Amino acid sequence: MPIAAGLLDGRIENHNVSGRPWWQRGAVYQLLVPSFLDTNRDGLGDLGGVISRLDYLQWLGVNAIWLSPCYPSPLEELGYDVSEYCDIEPKFGSLAAFDRLLDEAHERELHVIMDWVGNHTAASHPWFRESRSSRRNPRRDWYLWRDPKADGSPPNNWVSVFGGSVWQWDAATSQYYMHTFLRSQPDLNWRCPELRAAMLRALTFWLDRGVDGFRLDAAPLFFKDRLWRDNPVNPDYRPGELPDSSLLPTYTRNQPGLHELFVELRTLVARYAGDRVLLGEFYVPVEELVTFYGSTAPELHLPLNLALTHTEWRADVVGRTIAEYQSRVSGRGWPTTTLDTHDQERIVARAGLAQARVAAMLLLTQRGTPTIYYGDEIGMEGVAIPPDEAVDPQGRRTGRNRDPARTPMQWSSEVYAGFSAVEPWLPVGADRPTANVASQSRDAGSLLTLYRRLLELRAAEPALQDGVHEPLIAGPKLVVYRRRNAERRLLVVLNLVHEPAVYALGDEGSGKVLLSSVPDREGERVTGQLKVRADEGVLLALD
Ligand code: GLC
Ligand code: CA
């Protein structure tokens, strides 16, 4: 461990201040297994690496980790191309290593969430090899096969996320199969009862092993229109957006059957003790997002709120986005907040390093469960990798390269950032001299220390965990909101610009600074007005 031993002391428990389940109390840490830590010198992260950094994650103060897919895979698409659902990719480890990870995580009160890729498999999955072998194969119907139109062209106009038609001609059996993503990622047919049962068995396999939950990848896409109708053209499409956005997802997203499936998955996980949890990835409007908590019966515990991953970092836009989300989700389910994922640009690349602290404060003071993307806690910017050098197939095909946000975790300032002894699979950030765990863990003024303190405060302050969220100001410089419960009123004042700003406390009267993004004014009394410096965030306990 590059972390000074003394700093591992003073760690906080996941206080059960509210009697709420674990997934409502702490924060989820999203990490990419290939990019976290390499322990067998092949330049690729592995489960052994994750295990050896569990102390770090416990010290940081999160209570769950969400692992990128680590199933057997050709790894053409970061593991989102699964060739076997009930095993571990040998490059990452073994089932034994995974069991050890579970045990060691649980010993540290860290829960383990697996990424669950349910929309498609890799073409090398035995199911697909069987399915494509003959029209009469019993697994034919496990995937989506269609005849061509009379003129031989694809069945409809649907466009792949990575460009081109979703339909791939397969000469062996003279039909097209559907792929939302790469043609080496054929989509599964969730309307086929045998496929559905096989997928549920695979989920059971991991639940029985002790996994605490799943993040459902591409969750709104599992079902497609029964009539295979053309999607309408999207009049608002702008060049540079992902190719599938050129059409409206009328017949490819949120189709009949989806809610029933989520109810069934919820029923499955509810049979297990220990509050197993279902997260879901949805790029849908917020009014649609909240329907996935379930209307007539419970569905997902945490449909992820991804709005901030692609929202312009401006006080008015950010302030309105969180206010709208919090009001829509209120009464429907438990909220979530995410700044970054492996699919978007990192916050430092989008908003600048100066805003990283403000962003941390925003992320960790919302009502609901935050997800922290690995490396954000040390302000990693990522590496500008041009699309023609991309490992990410989306980068090569569309120019929207996701590699910059997937580079190795920076543990130290060494040439490979302490990630590996050999050259890593993606380049290491040039910011590693400062954006690294070893130096920031020794620095009381670092971003990493701020993350720790925010997580600690969140765990200790019921008002931050489940107090109501009252939006007060959205722009032009400030985002201001109040978090309140019966005992406590907290005010969060975030300055999203590079110049000072003033917030008039008005009716709020006066208070005391609990935490500032620059740790030099804690305990300060504030009356009448609060002056915030450029790029500063302040958390005030109101009198
Ligand atoms: C999800 C993942 C993304 C992947 C896609 C296809 O959107 O987050 O990384 O490319 O699914 O599996
Ligand atoms: Ca390795």
Side-chain angles (χ1 to χ4, degrees):
M1 289 292 291
I3 301 161
L7 282 161
L8 284 173
D9 298 334
R11 75 164 187 92
I12 47 121
E13 297 292 335
N14 283 308
H15 296 265
N16 187 355
V17 285
S18 52
R20 291 179 175 275
W22 63 267
W23 49 268
Q24 296 186 4
R25 296 201 303 272
V28 176
Y29 188 91
Q30 180 195 357
L31 67 88
L32 304 184
V33 175
S35 296
F36 207 52
L37 184 71
D38 170 28
T39 55
N40 66 343
R41 302 170 131 261
D42 63 356
L44 198 67
D46 40 59
L47 294 182
V50 179
I51 294 170
S52 68
R53 287 298 181 264
L54 292 173
D55 283 340
Y56 166 74
L57 295 168
Q58 184 186 30
W59 170 84
L60 179 62
V62 298
N63 79 345
I65 54 175
W66 146 21
L67 303 172
S68 66
C70 37
Y71 316 98
S73 164
L75 299 181
E76 269 182 68
E77 224 262 278
L78 200 72
Y80 288 95
D81 42 345
V82 176
S83 57
E84 159 64 58
Y85 283 105
C86 299
D87 205 348
I88 291 294
E89 163 58 35
K91 289 201 175 100
F92 295 145
S94 59
L95 274 176
F98 186 83
D99 288 343
R100 193 154 68 81
L101 189 158
L102 271 182
D103 285 348
E104 299 231 3
H106 289 161
E107 270 169 31
R108 293 167 176 79
E109 291 181 56
L110 289 166
H111 299 83
V112 178
I113 298 164
M114 294 187 95
D115 219 305
W116 183 254
V117 191
N119 180 70
H120 46 268
T121 67
S124 55
H125 196 295
W127 295 347
F128 188 65
R129 286 203 254 114
E130 283 191 42
S131 181
R132 80 192 310 182
S133 67
S134 141
R135 290 198 190 197
R136 282 180 309 278
N137 186 281
R139 294 217 165 97
R140 182 66 169 183
D141 201 30
W142 288 33
Y143 292 83
L144 300 167
W145 294 96
R146 302 295 298 160
D147 285 330
K149 284 188 181 156
D151 64 358
S153 63
N156 61 28
N157 73 345
W158 296 352
V159 173
S160 157
V161 174
F162 298 154
S165 172
V166 300
W167 297 104
Q168 174 63 32
W169 179 249
D170 206 45
T173 54
S174 298
Q175 275 191 318
Y176 285 97
Y177 67 83
M178 187 192 165
H179 61 91
T180 299
F181 298 92
L182 295 173
R183 58 164 190 252
S184 53
Q185 290 171 299
D187 282 33
L188 288 162
N189 178 13
W190 276 92
R191 292 207 174 89
C192 166
E194 291 79 18
L195 174 274
R196 192 172 172 126
M199 290 297 268
L200 265 67
R201 276 197 302 278
L203 288 166
T204 305
F205 173 87
W206 295 106
L207 289 166
D208 288 343
R209 283 195 119 76
V211 163
D212 299 290
F214 302 99
R215 172 256 188 195
L216 307 181
D217 178 61
L221 308 183
F222 289 11
F223 290 82
K224 284 78 179 170
D225 181 39
R226 280 180 183 281
L227 303 176
W228 310 98
R229 282 167 281 190
D230 277 357
N231 273 332
V233 168
N234 175 6
D236 299 324
Y237 177 71
R238 288 186 308 267
E241 292 175 351
L242 284 176
D244 63 319
S245 309
S246 60
L247 302 178
L248 297 172
T250 314
Y251 297 114
T252 41
R253 191 174 80 193
N254 196 0
Q255 296 299 298
L258 192 59
H259 288 287
E260 291 80 358
L261 173 65
F262 291 159
V263 170
E264 190 177 352
L265 298 180
R266 176 67 173 256
T267 311
L268 173 71
V269 300
R271 290 211 299 267
Y272 287 81
D275 293 321
R276 316 292 174 103
V277 67
L278 293 173
L279 287 63
E281 180 202 32
F282 297 92
Y283 286 100
V284 300
V286 60
E287 59 274 19
E288 196 175 319
L289 181 67
V290 298
T291 66
F292 294 106
Y293 290 107
S295 304
T296 51
E299 296 181 28
L300 307 191
H301 306 80
L302 300 175
L304 293 171
N305 158 30
L306 300 173
L308 291 180
T309 68
H310 51 85
T311 297
E312 195 185 346
W313 197 251
R314 268 179 31 195
D316 53 345
V317 184
V318 168
R320 274 201 310 267
T321 303
I322 61 177
E324 200 210 340
Y325 172 74
Q326 290 288 348
S327 95
R328 292 257 188 196
V329 85
S330 170
R332 298 297 296 261
W334 185 252
T336 72
T337 306
T338 298
L339 279 181
D340 284 353
T341 72
H342 61 295
D343 290 327
Q344 311 289 346
E345 263 187 301
R346 281 189 182 272
I347 188 69
V348 172
R350 284 186 285 143
L353 186 57
Q355 281 289 311
R357 288 159 185 268
V358 176
M361 231 174 198
L362 179 118
L363 174 65
L364 299 176
T365 57
Q366 297 297 304
R367 178 180 157 81
T369 301
T371 76
I372 300 171
Y373 186 54
Y374 84 100
D376 274 4
E377 75 274 29
I378 49 172
M380 274 172 59
E381 181 175 6
V383 183
I385 301 166
D388 57 344
E389 287 167 28
V391 174
D392 173 25
Q394 176 180 293
R396 268 178 280 126
R397 285 169 176 73
T398 71
R400 289 175 70 107
N401 187 12
R402 296 172 294 183
D403 291 342
R406 298 174 172 186
T407 59
M409 177 66 179
Q410 294 165 192
W411 298 103
S412 74
S413 59
E414 289 162 65
V415 54
Y416 298 138
F419 164 79
S420 177
V422 301
E423 189 178 359
W425 73 288
L426 282 178
V428 171
D431 55 359
R432 67 181 180 279
T434 48
N436 74 73
V437 172
S439 41
Q440 292 199 20
S441 63
R442 290 188 293 263
D443 176 0
S446 69
L447 178 62
L448 179 58
T449 302
L450 179 66
Y451 263 88
R452 276 193 80 203
R453 303 209 49 213
L454 280 163
L455 285 163
E456 195 166 15
L457 198 62
R458 204 183 156 85
E461 283 280 356
L464 273 186
Q465 281 187 27
D466 59 5
V468 292
H469 179 110
E470 298 169 324
L472 297 173
I473 296 223
K477 293 179 177 178
L478 298 178
V479 175
V480 183
Y481 46 92
R482 202 167 34 212
R483 300 294 316 281
R484 181 176 54 80
N485 66 9
E487 288 84 44
R488 200 92 152 128
R489 290 184 313 142
L490 304 174
L491 188 73
V492 184
V493 181
L494 305 169
N495 186 358
L496 268 70
V497 297
H498 306 313
E499 54 189 81
V502 178
Y503 177 70
L505 286 179
D507 290 348
E508 269 105 30
S510 57
K512 191 179 81 172
V513 174
L514 267 189
L515 190 65
S516 158
S517 61
V518 190
D520 61 356
R521 58 191 296 189
E522 280 145 40
E524 182 186 315
R525 293 278 324 156
V526 180
T527 32
Q529 60 175 22
L530 173 70
K531 291 187 177 146
V532 283
R533 293 165 292 193
D535 303 299
E536 187 180 27
V538 176
L539 179 57
L540 213 61
L542 294 167
D543 295 330

